[in-house]
Amino acid sequence: MEVDKGKGEAEETRKVAEADRDTVTLKSSDGKLFEVSKEAAARLSTVLAGMIAGGSIDDNGTDLKQIGSEALENVVDYCNKHANSIPSAALISSSISFNTAPFKEPEEWERKFVDRLSHDALFDLVEAANFLGMERLLDVTCHKISEMMKGKSPDQIREVFNIKNDYTKEELEEIRQELAWAFYDD
Amino acid sequence: MDNTGDESIHGTSKPNVQFQDLPLDVLYTILWKLPPKEFARTSVLSTKWRRMWSMCPRLTFDGVAVCKCNRKDLEHILSHCSSLVWLHIDKCNLYDCLTVDTPLSNLLYLHIELCELTRIKFHALHSANIQFHRPVFQRSVMSLLNGLPMVQNLTFHIWWPSLEKQWLLDNPLKFSHLRNLQLLLMLRPQENDKVLYLVSFLRATPFIENLEVHFSGYALWLADVGPRRQDLGQWGKRTSRINFACVENAPALEGISVNTKQLASKEFWPYGGAGPPFEDAKRIAVTNLSATLREGVKLCVT
């Protein structure tokens, strides 16, 4: 089992002196332990980078009470995959600018990574990425959700995302008139 | 989810998140990736969604990475999104002009790139990063002065401009709020002899504090090919000095640092080879600037 392996590795690594460790151990809300490359965690998550720099990483497993084990497993999986992939040009901002880098399209492996997730797992992962300040993972997961919305009618979107239509007919008509340009193709 | 049976595998201590329970900024990150029309149509989903799209603080229109969008849709969207703080438009073919008449009074960052744009009009803007493609230089400067009178930080990136052989000395318009300017110029060799006329632009920035100029070639940097140096009168015999003439009458200038190394070298010196004559550049910068700057202004040449 992937999870148990994570646990075993965590125990193994705890014996190694702190300075030599190149991984950190994270603990999900339900108490499961996961091992992640320190370099990847610091590079991909502003929150983890801050914790590592500030020395608030717990060798026995840093508590992430807001994140369930399934989402955390995906986060760790993403970090480890990312650590193995060649640093992509997409993530290195070369532009000289006062502003931050714009959105870059997901790469093939990132697409595959989010495509295999269920709706629930995807939303949980979005929330975890947001909580951990993982800008790239957040972008990739949000991109997936927007792909799921694209080209769909409002009815279809409501159905897929479980949104209850609480408008009256008159209200809907009013919006359609107000935003007529958006409801007709050129 | 039933997780009583196999806690070790599936146990999650909290219920799954629903789409509309996601934090608002996450919802926005999802929404702006939709095509413009679909983005606005989210208002019919439910009452919670009615005004959500139009309150979006940050928008990116990227013609390739996100979706195609035309100028009309873009202008429609921008006329509704009055809370916009950050706007990035990239690779959308806007055919020359973008006008936003509704005041975007919160807009702080504007970045426009590869949009075949030569004219622009925005209200109340503090920072802008604008890329113009093949503009006629002084006309595009006038358009910027007209369209972004309040801008404080400007990155102005100009690809292959046509430079005019005329001074813009009587230009009454000023970027009187401009503090930080990055000017990035990709010039054609045949424009070399007109490069000195660029100074017209810098004359419109009386309160400049930081100025960064990147040229595409060292011939331009040294500017020793200008046939018109006799026109420059009191500005000196070495034409390179004209590059710095703008700082002479800049009362707010605190310091100037000239880095003759290849900053942004990949973008602005893609040709390889021996590269620019850094030592010459350094010498010219020191000689001319130390004579030009008023007392108290820090000068650093590296």
Side-chain angles (χ1 to χ4, degrees):
Chain A
M1 215 52 242
E2 192 111 6
V3 174
D4 293 330
K5 191 173 141 229
K7 225 177 212 168
E9 277 172 7
E11 273 154 14
E12 190 63 37
T13 331
R14 238 171 281 151
K15 293 169 195 157
V16 184
E18 162 71 10
D20 294 331
R21 292 191 55 181
D22 54 6
T23 60
V24 287
T25 310
L26 305 175
K27 193 193 224 170
S28 67
S29 60
D30 43 336
K32 296 211 176 64
L33 297 174
F34 297 92
E35 198 76 6
V36 65
S37 139
K38 190 185 264 181
E39 187 274 328
R43 184 159 45 90
L44 297 169
S45 158
T46 54
V47 171
L48 292 178
M51 290 170 91
I52 292 167
S56 50
I57 287 288
D58 185 345
D59 282 356
N60 299 319
T62 303
D63 259 328
L64 297 172
K65 290 206 169 62
Q66 293 77 354
I67 305 177
S69 56
E70 201 188 346
L72 191 56
E73 190 179 346
N74 282 322
V75 165
V76 165
D77 198 11
Y78 178 84
C79 288
N80 289 336
K81 278 202 170 83
H82 211 288
N84 295 332
S85 77
I86 304 154
S88 74
L91 292 165
I92 301 161
S93 166
S94 70
S95 85
I96 334 155
S97 164
F98 291 114
N99 306 333
T100 53
F103 172 71
K104 294 284 191 297
E105 261 194 283
E107 291 176 33
E108 190 54 33
W109 72 269
E110 288 175 316
R111 253 178 222 286
K112 282 186 187 148
F113 181 81
V114 290
D115 280 350
R116 67 187 171 85
L117 300 173
S118 70
H119 277 201
D120 285 344
L122 182 61
F123 290 139
D124 285 344
L125 184 55
V126 167
E127 215 183 33
N130 188 46
F131 175 76
L132 290 170
M134 300 178 70
E135 205 183 337
R136 178 62 187 171
L137 181 57
L138 189 62
D139 246 347
V140 169
T141 45
C142 285
H143 182 80
K144 170 68 187 171
I145 297 176
S146 75
E147 294 274 293
M148 289 157 68
M149 295 176 80
K150 258 181 217 173
K152 289 200 169 66
S153 70
D155 272 340
Q156 287 169 319
I157 294 176
R158 286 191 203 105
E159 197 186 318
V160 172
F161 294 107
N162 207 6
I163 298 166
K164 195 175 153 14
N165 178 9
D166 55 356
Y167 280 121
T168 64
K169 239 182 172 167
E170 292 72 30
E171 283 172 325
L172 278 180
E173 192 45 44
E174 192 191 316
I175 299 174
R176 278 172 179 277
Q177 278 174 14
E178 189 190 320
L179 300 176
W181 61 273
F183 286 92
Y184 301 101
D185 288 326
D186 299 316
Chain B
M1 187 192 290
D2 177 9
N3 55 20
T4 50
D6 197 353
E7 187 72 30
S8 67
I9 296 168
H10 281 301
T12 38
S13 61
K14 58 193 206 45
N16 288 105
V17 192
Q18 288 286 312
F19 182 43
Q20 47 187 349
D21 299 335
L22 289 172
L24 200 57
D25 53 342
V26 174
L27 286 175
Y28 284 138
T29 309
I30 296 167
L31 291 187
W32 67 250
K33 294 186 171 75
L34 294 171
K37 284 192 167 82
E38 292 184 37
F39 175 61
R41 284 205 295 257
T42 55
S43 27
V44 299
L45 291 176
S46 78
T47 49
K48 189 194 164 190
W49 291 75
R50 170 95 192 236
R51 304 263 168 233
M52 196 194 287
W53 69 276
S54 61
M55 303 301 283
C56 194
R58 188 181 163 118
L59 281 177
T60 296
F61 297 92
D62 186 320
V64 173
V66 183
C67 54
K68 288 204 165 53
C69 58
N70 61 39
R71 186 174 80 206
K72 231 167 66 194
D73 284 350
L74 208 143
E75 288 177 350
H76 272 306
I77 294 273
L78 294 180
S79 69
H80 281 84
C81 292
S82 53
S83 310
L84 213 53
V85 175
W86 195 99
L87 174 63
H88 187 109
I89 307 175
D90 195 359
K91 296 184 275 294
C92 298
N93 200 336
L94 301 176
Y95 300 108
D96 209 32
C97 181
L98 178 67
T99 307
V100 182
D101 285 329
T102 329
L104 293 172
S105 49
N106 296 311
L107 191 63
L108 292 178
Y109 303 102
L110 172 68
H111 185 118
I112 301 182
E113 199 172 328
L114 297 175
C115 292
E116 302 288 329
L117 197 70
T118 54
R119 276 178 294 148
I120 188 162
K121 191 164 171 55
F122 270 82
H123 290 265
L125 198 70
H126 292 106
S127 296
N129 183 328
I130 315 262
Q131 189 182 76
F132 279 2
H133 196 71
R134 294 179 188 277
V136 177
F137 183 77
Q138 287 180 6
R139 214 173 63 194
S140 70
V141 168
M142 293 304 282
S143 132
L144 266 189
L145 286 168
N146 275 315
L148 308 169
M150 303 295 283
V151 75
Q152 282 179 19
N153 305 311
L154 175 67
T155 299
F156 191 27
H157 193 142
I158 312 163
W159 291 89
W160 317 123
S162 306
L163 301 180
E164 302 99 321
K165 279 194 178 180
Q166 61 176 33
W167 297 102
L168 213 117
L169 297 177
D170 51 354
N171 163 39
L173 295 166
K174 296 255 187 265
F175 283 111
S176 51
H177 295 264
L178 192 66
R179 297 292 182 272
N180 302 302
L181 171 67
Q182 282 180 313
L183 194 57
L184 300 100
L185 295 151
M186 187 62 102
L187 297 179
R188 285 171 295 212
Q190 62 264 39
E191 304 286 352
N192 279 8
D193 60 341
K194 286 175 275 182
V195 69
L196 299 180
Y197 294 100
L198 290 172
V199 84
S200 298
F201 176 58
L202 301 168
R203 289 177 71 95
T205 60
F207 297 109
I208 189 123
E209 285 169 15
N210 291 302
L211 167 68
E212 245 184 85
V213 186
H214 299 268
F215 286 118
S216 56
Y218 64 83
L220 301 165
W221 209 98
L222 298 173
D224 55 359
V225 289
R228 296 271 173 154
R229 68 178 71 162
Q230 68 273 20
D231 296 347
L232 305 178
Q234 78 275 23
W235 279 338
K237 288 186 179 105
R238 291 303 298 259
T239 45
S240 60
R241 185 171 169 180
I242 204 67
N243 283 334
F244 307 113
C246 58
V247 304
E248 279 181 75
N249 298 312
L253 194 79
E254 285 173 2
I256 187 162
S257 91
V258 180
N259 187 335
T260 55
K261 297 286 184 284
Q262 279 174 284
L263 274 181
S265 59
K266 289 232 169 64
E267 278 174 76
F268 287 87
W269 190 259
Y271 313 110
F278 291 132
E279 287 310 312
D280 277 355
K282 206 185 281 187
R283 184 176 45 76
I284 290 170
V286 172
T287 322
N288 289 291
L289 278 173
S290 50
T292 305
L293 293 174
R294 78 186 150 77
E295 243 177 275
V297 178
K298 275 180 281 172
L299 171 63
C300 166
V301 180
T302 50

